[in-house]
């Protein structure tokens, strides 16, 4: 029998009840906090490691894990006939969204009802105190966010100023200061789709697609999304991109059309730059008449990934080669990213300088911490540095999570770091959490695929790696994903596919040693002397000189693969 649906009240005193009004609230404060953490998380899911760190931050890992297991048991008992609401997974815990209503998410999804303010402004998790500093920090941040959100609806002069309103959640005043300064230039407005079908009943379909895009783009975190209430005043951009952009305070605009085709529907989307009045990207997507939602679920992350890449590169190019304006945090961020994408030692040094400047301006800004962390990982990878340097990346990642625990990039950063530290289970859990937060995150999918094959499961790596390629056709580091696919196929014994993907990677980055070693290994396995000679000639032509450090650095769980690749490398110049 299906579990009874429950409602979780987090605004005001915490309470859980079913449709009959029966109180199911756990008596334990830790149990209440556990449900609150899950209920307000993206997809209502968190890794066990994350939960332990927020509920038992002052005890060792083993004791925290034991305490979490006990809290899960007592919470399930309190839920009685609705215990199926709480779902246990390997390395994670979640609530079943199909069985749960959460007042916080409803409030954040639309304007709060006036009755909420009867008797005064409500407080998030009123009176809940568990005595853990990490939970208290999280609680303080959530209360600040909710207060900031309420402020926007109680201040009538600012109802159309949506710069700090991030789709899928509100940004509290602590983070508004940084974002308000830049949102009116690096923001996007997603306009409602124009219904060109002639059927007014399909108005809801166009609105639904726009809503999905607003939610998904909001998960990028770095790109503020203009609130739907303001954007809905416009439909088609046409030749008015500059005027609409100025009106909404957003440099970037996305509009589109929904039409009927002979066997279904078409969705045409266009990404505009209001500064230049040019269309940056456009495409047509076809939906089947039967079950169009399944195809939309595949398309929307792809569109969001393209927006992510296109706007990111546009912002980099906007500031490239010019002196950052005095005190401009994002000028340093974009110039740093522009230099880092050049993938040279000199540019990397310039990138570090810009990220350092950005963090001096706003020391706790998640954006600066994340970019500094990526720079550090790039430097370790490029110089074959010592893994002891990864501790700095761990610290940067955790500071970024503290600043914004909904930013998928921080989890991805920490997940990749754990992969390199040979903590495969923790890495896979963190990377899955990153993908839950942002399903369009191609780099998280790439690193998840890598973590799987390094952990001895290459068959599990193919799906996320192929999805990463699909989501990032123009990504500057696409060669890395292609090389990882080559290695996964090599481990599976599919040598021709390994060779094909390695060659594809080398077309983007001819001197990438990892793709070169994969190609040579696959060529040797195929026994084709012509291919072997070509692979060896490329090693010599590109001046690649493999050292012990190259192979010591590879974090395979099965060290026989490290040995095998080292032996292949030894034959490169035979």
């Amino acid at each position: 029998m299906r579990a009874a649906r429950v409602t979780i009240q987090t605004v005001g005193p915490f309470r859980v009840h079913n449709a009959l009004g029966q109180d199911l609230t756990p008596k334990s404060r830790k149990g209440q906090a556990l449900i609150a953490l899950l209920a307000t998380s993206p997809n209502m899911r968190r890794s066990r490691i994350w939960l332990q760190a927020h509920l038992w931050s002052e005890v060792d890992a083993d004791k925290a894990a034991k305490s979490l297991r006990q809290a899960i048991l007592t919470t399930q008992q309190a839920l009685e006939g609705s215990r199926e609401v709480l779902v246990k997974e390997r390395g994670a815990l979640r609530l079943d969204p199909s069985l749960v209503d959460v007042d916080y998410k409803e409030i954040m999804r639309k304007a709060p009802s006036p009755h909420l303010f009867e008797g005064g402004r409500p407080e998030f998790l009123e009176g809940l105190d568990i005595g853990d500093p990490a939970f208290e920090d999280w609680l303080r941040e959530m209360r600040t966010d909710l207060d900031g959100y309420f402020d926007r609806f109680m201040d009538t002069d600012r109802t159309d100023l949506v710069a700090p309103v991030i789709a899928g959640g509100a940004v509290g005043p602590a983070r508004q200061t940084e974002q308000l300064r830049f949102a009116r230039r690096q923001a996007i407005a997603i306009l409602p789709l124009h219904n060109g079908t002639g059927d007014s009943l399909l108005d809801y379909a166009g609105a639904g697609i726009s809503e999905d895009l607003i939610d998904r783009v909001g998960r990028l975190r770095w790109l503020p999304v203009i609130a739907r209430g303001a954007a809905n005043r416009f439909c088609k951009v046409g030749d008015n991109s500059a005027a609409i952009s100025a009106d909404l305070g957003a440099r970037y605009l996305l509009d589109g059309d929904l039409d009927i085709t002979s066997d279904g529907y078409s969705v045409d989307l266009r990404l505009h730059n209001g500064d230049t009045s040019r269309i940056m990207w456009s495409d047509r997507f076809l939906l089947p008449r039967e079950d169009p939602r399944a195809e939309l679920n595949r398309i929307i992350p792809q569109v969001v990934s393209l927006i992510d890449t296109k706007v990111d590169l546009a912002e980099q190019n906007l500031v490239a080669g010019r002196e950052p304006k005095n005190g401009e945090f994002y000028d340093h961020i974009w110039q740093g990213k522009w230099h880092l994408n050049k993938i040279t030692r000199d540019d990397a040094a310039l990138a570090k300088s810009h990220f350092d400047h950005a963090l001096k301006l706003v020391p706790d800004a998640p954006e600066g911490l994340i970019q500094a962390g990526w720079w550090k990982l790039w430097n370790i990878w490029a110089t074959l540095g010592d893994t002891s340097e990864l501790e700095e990346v761990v610290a940067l990642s955790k500071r970024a999570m503290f600043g914004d625990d909904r930013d998928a990039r921080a989890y991805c950063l920490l997940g990749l770091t754990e992969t390199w530290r040979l903590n495969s289970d923790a890495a896979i859990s963190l990377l899955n959490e990153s993908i839950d937060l942002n399903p369009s995150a191609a780099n998280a999918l790439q690193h998840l695929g890598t973590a799987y094959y390094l952990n001895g499961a290459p068959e599990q790596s193919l799906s996320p790696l192929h999805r990463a390629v699909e989501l990032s056709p123009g990504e500057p580091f696409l060669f890395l994903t292609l090389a990882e696919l080559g290695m996964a196929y090599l481990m599976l014994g599919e040598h021709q596919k390994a060779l094909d993907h390695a060659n594809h990677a080398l077309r983007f980055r001819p001197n990438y040693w990892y793709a070169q070693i994969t190609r040579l290994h696959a060529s040797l396995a195929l026994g084709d002397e012509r291919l072997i000679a070509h692979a060896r000639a490329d090693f010599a032509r590109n001046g690649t000189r493999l050292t012990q450090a190259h192979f010591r650095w590879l974090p395979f769980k099965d060290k026989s693969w490290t040995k095998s690749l080292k032996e292949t490398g030894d034959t490169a110049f035979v």
Side-chain angles (χ1 to χ4, degrees):
M1 185 172 68
R2 188 165 175 79
R5 191 173 187 85
V6 303
T7 297
I8 299 172
Q9 177 181 310
T10 60
V11 179
F14 180 80
R15 185 169 179 253
V16 182
H17 62 87
N18 61 20
L20 299 175
Q22 181 185 5
D23 190 2
L24 304 176
T25 309
K27 290 183 171 58
S28 160
R29 285 181 171 267
K30 285 288 177 83
Q32 294 176 24
L34 173 62
I35 292 180
L37 287 169
L38 293 172
T40 55
S41 295
N43 299 320
M44 299 189 189
R45 181 183 184 275
R46 286 292 185 187
S47 69
R48 289 178 182 249
I49 292 172
W50 189 92
L51 291 167
Q52 289 162 202
H54 282 73
L55 294 171
W56 295 277
S57 64
E58 295 185 308
V59 301
D60 63 55
D62 289 340
K63 187 173 180 180
K66 183 178 179 181
S67 297
L68 178 59
R69 289 194 294 270
Q70 182 62 36
I72 293 169
L73 178 62
T74 57
T75 301
Q76 286 181 318
Q77 291 170 347
L79 291 170
E80 299 179 3
S82 298
R83 63 172 53 207
E84 291 176 25
V85 163
L86 188 61
V87 182
K88 293 186 286 186
E89 299 178 347
R90 183 184 177 190
L93 198 65
R94 67 179 175 88
L95 299 176
D96 185 341
S98 68
L99 298 175
V100 176
D101 293 311
V102 183
D103 62 345
Y104 176 83
K105 290 182 178 290
E106 284 300 309
I107 290 168
M108 289 301 191
R109 191 173 294 122
K110 54 190 178 183
S113 171
H115 77 78
L116 265 177
F117 303 103
E118 294 173 3
R121 182 184 294 213
E123 183 179 57
F124 182 77
L125 297 182
E126 180 183 320
L128 184 58
D129 180 9
I130 66 172
D132 187 279
F135 181 79
E136 293 304 315
D137 287 338
W138 172 84
L139 184 58
R140 188 181 309 111
E141 179 74 15
M142 292 294 287
R143 286 173 175 168
T144 300
D145 279 359
L146 189 63
D147 277 344
Y149 186 66
F150 287 158
D151 284 342
R152 284 191 290 278
F153 287 96
M154 297 178 75
D155 183 348
T156 56
D157 291 335
R158 294 184 57 200
T159 53
D160 65 340
L161 176 58
V162 291
V165 181
I166 302 298
V171 177
R175 294 198 296 272
Q176 285 177 20
T177 302
E178 173 196 342
Q179 292 192 344
L180 274 170
R181 292 172 57 199
F182 312 109
R184 292 191 68 81
R185 65 184 184 115
Q186 79 170 45
I188 185 169
I190 297 174
L191 278 54
L193 290 189
H194 173 255
N195 180 9
T197 65
D199 183 352
S200 61
L201 294 177
L202 288 176
D203 285 347
Y204 79 92
I209 294 170
S210 297
E211 292 278 336
D212 284 349
L213 285 167
I214 288 171
D215 174 66
R216 292 299 184 90
V217 174
R219 298 190 193 194
L220 298 176
R221 306 306 286 173
W222 68 266
L223 180 60
V225 183
I226 297 301
R228 58 182 62 84
N232 283 352
R233 293 186 289 117
F234 303 95
C235 189
K236 279 194 172 186
V237 171
D239 296 328
N240 301 312
S241 59
I244 295 173
S245 177
D247 186 291
L248 292 174
R251 175 173 290 140
Y252 304 99
L253 307 170
L254 185 76
D255 74 341
D257 303 281
L258 174 67
D259 279 302
I260 292 178
T261 65
S262 58
D263 55 357
Y265 308 93
S266 67
V267 175
D268 292 277
L269 295 174
R270 297 170 293 274
L271 179 64
H272 304 258
N273 185 322
D275 281 0
T276 62
S277 297
R278 291 183 178 179
I279 295 176
M280 301 166 61
W281 164 82
S282 65
D283 206 345
R284 167 171 287 192
F285 301 92
L286 300 178
L287 305 176
R289 194 173 300 279
E290 299 297 325
D291 193 19
R293 169 52 60 180
E295 181 64 7
L296 271 175
N297 288 341
R298 187 190 69 82
I299 290 170
I300 285 177
Q302 183 178 343
V303 172
V304 174
S305 184
L306 281 163
I307 291 171
D308 186 10
T309 301
K310 296 288 185 184
V311 175
D312 186 293
L313 290 174
E315 290 293 316
Q316 290 179 43
N317 290 330
L318 192 66
V319 300
R322 81 177 189 206
E323 282 297 314
K325 296 178 182 177
N326 185 36
E328 285 287 355
F329 173 87
Y330 270 99
D331 269 14
H332 285 294
I333 291 293
W334 293 121
Q335 290 215 22
K337 293 180 73 172
W338 184 83
H339 283 293
L340 192 58
N341 285 342
K342 295 297 181 183
I343 321 179
T344 69
R345 296 283 178 89
D346 289 344
D347 278 292
L350 291 169
K352 183 178 187 303
S353 175
H354 283 296
F355 296 146
D356 287 346
H357 275 295
L359 284 174
K360 284 180 182 178
L361 290 168
V362 191
D364 293 317
E367 188 67 39
L369 295 166
I370 288 167
Q371 299 307 330
W374 283 121
W375 179 90
K376 186 66 178 176
L377 280 186
W378 183 92
N379 190 60
I380 295 169
W381 167 72
T383 63
L384 305 176
D386 195 287
T387 53
S388 63
E389 299 177 58
L390 293 172
E391 289 300 327
E392 185 180 343
V393 185
V394 171
L396 289 165
S397 304
K398 290 183 175 179
R399 284 175 63 195
M401 286 180 184
F402 179 78
D404 185 354
D405 67 358
R406 295 180 182 85
D407 197 320
R409 297 171 301 168
Y411 294 85
C412 180
L413 184 62
L414 186 55
L416 177 56
T417 304
E418 294 299 348
T419 298
W420 289 4
R421 299 202 315 175
L422 302 179
N423 297 328
S424 300
D425 288 342
I428 289 169
S429 178
L430 285 160
L431 290 165
N432 273 315
E433 191 149 3
S434 177
I435 294 162
D436 283 345
L437 286 164
N438 178 17
S440 306
N443 58 345
L445 286 160
Q446 180 220 308
H447 298 314
L448 178 62
T450 300
Y452 277 133
Y453 83 64
L454 289 172
N455 201 34
E459 68 284 351
Q460 290 182 262
S461 71
L462 297 181
S463 176
L465 286 172
H466 277 296
R467 184 61 172 152
V469 172
E470 182 181 3
L471 290 176
S472 56
E475 222 279 331
F477 291 92
L478 179 61
F479 72 93
L480 294 174
T481 310
L482 294 168
E484 301 301 313
L485 267 169
M487 183 56 67
Y489 279 118
L490 189 66
M491 294 179 71
L492 289 167
E494 297 190 43
H495 299 117
Q496 186 59 53
K497 287 184 178 179
L499 182 66
D500 292 343
H501 283 89
N503 279 330
H504 196 176
L506 290 168
R507 283 198 288 274
F508 288 101
R509 189 73 177 172
N511 62 345
Y512 184 35
W513 73 272
Y514 198 52
Q516 287 183 330
I517 204 75
T518 301
R519 178 173 64 180
L520 179 55
H521 197 107
S523 299
L524 289 166
L526 290 168
D528 187 318
E529 291 300 328
R530 180 183 59 82
L531 292 175
I532 295 168
H534 176 68
R536 286 174 174 161
D538 252 13
F539 264 107
R541 182 165 49 252
N542 289 306
T544 305
R545 289 293 180 266
L546 300 177
T547 67
Q548 185 65 34
H550 285 84
F551 300 98
R552 184 185 68 244
W553 187 82
L554 296 177
F556 283 95
K557 183 176 181 179
D558 180 356
K559 295 303 179 186
S560 68
W561 272 103
T562 308
K563 181 181 178 183
S564 178
L565 292 173
K566 170 76 167 59
E567 290 171 352
T568 296
D570 290 341
T571 72
F573 302 101
V574 172

